[in-house]
Structures are given as C-alpha cells and as structure tokens.
Amino acid sequence: MTRPSKALIDLDALRHNYTRMREMHGGRALAVVKANAYGHGALKCAQALSGIADGFAVAFAAEALELRMGGIHKPVLLLEGCFDQDELLQASHQDLWIAVHQESQLQMIEQTTLPAKSLHAWLKIDSGMHRAGFNPDQVKQAYARLAACPAVAAITFMTHFARADEPDQLATAKQIKVFDDATAGLPGDRSLSNSGAIIAWTDARRDWARPGIVLYGADPMPSNNHGLIPVMTLQSKVFAIKTIAPGESLGYGGTFVAERPTRVGLVAIGYADGYPRIAPTGTPIAVDGQLTRTIGRVSMDMLTVDLTDLPEQGIGASIECWGRQIDVNLVAKAAGTISYELLCNVKRVPRVYIGD
Ligand SMILES: *Cc1c(COP(=O)(O)O)cnc(C)c1O
C-alpha cells in the first residue's frame, strides 16, 4: 500500500465557486491563482476555469509564465507588477497585464522601448491599506504619464482592501470613497473587490472583481452560508492503533497526558505535508465522517487522533483533515492562522484531481 495521504481537488467545485462569485459581484472577474492557486495547483485550476473565467491574476511574472507555457491564453494580471526590466519585456511579449503601484515601475515603462500598445497597466492606488500603491493625490499625474507612453494600450484602476472581511468596518467604506475621489473623471475600468468585498461590500462592485480564497471554497465570513463548496479535501488514513493508560503521555514533548484509557489512531500526515504543527490537542478532524479531535503534537510525518469514543474505527479508517466535513477555517482558527496559509502550505502529498 502506498502512503494514503492526498489532497483531493474538486474542479467542479472550483467552477461552481467562480461562477457564483462572478454572478454575485456582476461584471467580470479575474480568478486569483497566485501561490500555486492557494496550494491547489495553478495550471490545473486555470485550465479548469479557462472556459469560463474572464482572466487570471498571479503575484509575479514566473507564476504567469507557468500559465502561458501551459497553454492559458486568457488575460493574466501580475498583481505585484514587474520587478525589473526583463519582466517588463516578458510582460509585453507574453501579453501579461501589469500592476503599476510605484514610481520606479512607472519610470521603467517610460524608459523601456516596447512595441506600441503592448501593455495593459493596472494603476494601483493606496486608498488606505498603506501597503502598495500610489497615494490618492498622485493618481492624476501617474495616469497622465502612463497614458502618454506609446506602449500603454489601456489603463485600469485598482485598489485593495485591508479589512473587507469585517462587514462592520468603516475602514472599507472610507477606502471606497478615497478610491472614487482619486479616480473621478478618469476614463478606464475599475477593480476593487477581493473575496471579502465581493461578499460583504456591494458598494465596491465595479468592472472587475479579483476573487481568491472564495474560489477555493474557504469562506472568509463563514458564519453565513454563501453557497461556496470546499475544493480541497486533505485526507489520509489511520495506519496504526494504540491504547495508552491513564497518566501516560503521547508524542513529542508529552503534551497530551491520558486521563482515561485512550485509544489513539496514528494518521499518515504531518507538518511536512502542510498540516500545521501548532494545531493543539482538540483540533477538529473527521474519522469516517465522524467528528473527533487530534491529541498530542503533530509530528513531521504523522499526527494522532482520539478514537476512544469511536471503537468501531480501526486501521484503514479514512481521515479528513479539512474539506467538506471539517471547515478549513476551524483548523486555521485552532492553529492561530487563516485558511489561506494552511491551503498554501500543502505540499508533499499528491494532488488528485476530480472533475476535469
Ligand atoms: C491576493 C489578492 C487578491 C485575492 O484576495 P482574496 O482575499 O483571496 O480574495 C485580490 N487582489 C490582490 C491585489 C491580491 O493581492
């Protein structure tokens, strides 16, 4: 038997989530497949969406080239833009759309000889997150300089929200206003919404949405049902069983001490596969569809689950770490992080695709 651990990726669920979020937002939507599609496999996900997506977004040029080499011909936006002139030349040759978020990128475009009308620039505005982007008072001038470049065929305005997944946060309303004021009267498409804003901020709906985490079915606001279907199921099996006596400890550091005779299932997945080591005893996990908990420390290649109250479960029982039964948000919460990080970190286990 080969090691029974895998990340099952449901491409029908991916298409369902894209369609649902595109309709919710209205207009067009770039499917964000950066970071290897949040751990789901960028090329496979882009291929699965290529018939329905308006385009894709990745962080940087190497991620985009993987899609182009794999036969993806739809628009691909570089969310961080170009880091150097080579990447700018590549963007022009490969017909990649580029974010332009700072002076040095603007100068690079002005100073590089490129074919006429070969660039589609997304002018990024810092509307309040204070990470990347031109300040609102620089926008008109940056726009004018871009528009004057013969290589620039089109300009889209974009901004990014710091707190869109907090529906009561006035910070987002303020960012929308700052963006609208800074771009007032300038021609071009607009793009504001990430996943949280698609769901929670109808005021942010414009020409283009940029859904990321929602495509993968991890709801940024899981308290309401937004009709998303988890795309990844991280699964494995129980490969050994052991009963430990009261007072005995389990695993590295002896962090779990049995209070009663405890039946322990060993599961063939660990932090080297991307299951978070920091997830403590009590993290939810499913055994053949039944909810139980992890106990003891997660190790590199395995973790341990409590089977004391599931006496019918033995060697070979199937395990879901996260997926449709165990919301990845719950595991993330137990580990003090967010679904994004857990999904991005999945590695070593094979990805098995269904629905392509
Ligand atoms: C990653 C990213 C997104 C997608 O964010 P989600 O929260 O996953 O929807 C959208 N826009 C930009 C600029 C990003 O960097």
Side-chain angles (χ1 to χ4, degrees):
M1 187 178 88
T2 52
R3 186 171 185 251
S5 312
K6 56 183 178 255
L8 206 64
I9 311 286
D10 182 346
L11 298 171
D12 287 326
L14 178 71
R15 284 185 285 259
H16 164 91
N17 295 335
Y18 175 83
T19 303
R20 194 172 165 77
M21 290 297 115
R22 187 180 186 279
E23 279 170 4
M24 188 181 273
H25 178 269
R28 288 162 289 171
L30 294 180
V32 180
V33 294
K34 63 189 176 186
N36 204 20
Y38 295 43
H40 294 66
L43 184 54
K44 274 288 205 178
C45 289
Q47 285 168 339
L49 291 172
S50 62
I52 55 175
D54 302 301
F56 299 95
V58 295
F60 54 94
E63 291 186 326
L65 292 181
E66 186 198 343
L67 301 185
R68 283 283 182 262
M69 297 309 136
I72 301 295
H73 302 300
K74 290 263 171 100
V76 179
L77 170 65
L78 310 182
L79 291 165
E80 294 187 341
C82 299
F83 285 87
D84 58 31
Q85 204 172 41
D86 272 354
E87 290 192 351
L88 183 59
L89 294 167
Q90 269 174 348
S92 159
H93 290 150
Q94 298 286 341
D95 192 22
L96 307 174
W97 296 357
I98 54 172
V100 179
H101 62 77
Q102 62 176 337
E103 174 64 25
S104 63
Q105 290 177 322
L106 189 47
Q107 281 177 10
M108 206 157 67
I109 294 169
E110 289 175 325
Q111 292 163 9
T112 306
T113 307
L114 294 162
K117 304 269 176 235
S118 64
L119 293 178
H120 184 156
W122 283 48
L123 183 60
K124 187 166 182 182
I125 298 160
D126 173 10
S127 59
M129 187 174 185
H130 301 324
R131 209 178 51 172
F134 287 92
N135 292 336
D137 62 359
Q138 302 173 314
V139 171
K140 289 210 161 56
Q141 221 216 340
Y143 173 84
R145 283 169 60 191
L146 269 178
C149 293
V152 173
I155 300 170
T156 294
F157 298 97
M158 80 158 153
T159 195
H160 194 49
F161 295 126
R163 309 181 70 172
D165 54 355
E166 300 171 61
D168 301 328
Q169 254 303 323
L170 290 177
T172 303
K174 192 174 161 205
Q175 282 196 257
I176 296 168
K177 181 164 186 348
V178 168
F179 176 86
D180 282 342
D181 289 349
T183 57
L186 297 175
D189 283 353
R190 270 88 169 137
S191 175
L192 287 78
S193 298
N194 57 354
S195 294
I198 291 169
I199 289 173
W201 290 91
T202 52
D203 287 357
R205 292 174 184 169
R206 298 289 189 281
D207 304 286
W208 292 90
R210 305 185 309 272
I213 195 72
V214 284
L215 298 180
Y216 310 102
D219 197 323
M221 278 155 285
S223 49
N224 296 318
N225 177 15
H226 301 113
L228 300 171
I229 303 173
V231 173
M232 181 193 293
T233 305
L234 186 63
Q235 58 181 217
S236 187
K237 284 188 172 163
V238 173
F239 70 93
I241 298 274
K242 165 151 307 197
T243 299
I244 60 172
E248 291 296 318
S249 65
L250 171 67
Y252 288 119
T255 61
F256 174 81
V257 179
E259 286 174 1
R260 56 174 181 162
T262 298
R263 198 159 161 268
V264 182
L266 272 59
V267 175
I269 204 154
Y271 63 77
D273 304 296
Y275 193 94
R277 180 179 176 279
I278 199 166
T281 289
T283 302
I285 194 163
V287 184
D288 265 340
Q290 290 171 285
L291 183 66
T292 184
R293 57 173 186 156
T294 65
I295 47 177
R297 245 189 214 151
V298 173
S299 38
M300 187 183 287
D301 310 313
M302 66 182 87
L303 56 77
T304 37
V305 297
D306 191 352
L307 298 180
T308 313
D309 296 327
L310 300 174
E312 70 285 6
Q313 300 299 349
I315 291 176
S318 68
I319 293 284
E320 181 183 301
C321 299
W322 57 71
R324 293 196 193 185
Q325 291 159 32
I326 304 290
D327 183 347
V328 64
N329 284 300
L330 296 179
V331 181
K333 195 165 180 211
T337 185
I338 53 174
S339 63
Y340 300 66
E341 189 181 18
L342 296 190
L343 295 172
C344 286
N345 277 345
V346 170
K347 52 192 179 291
R348 191 168 76 168
V349 292
R351 290 189 190 84
V352 177
Y353 291 90
I354 53 174
D356 57 339

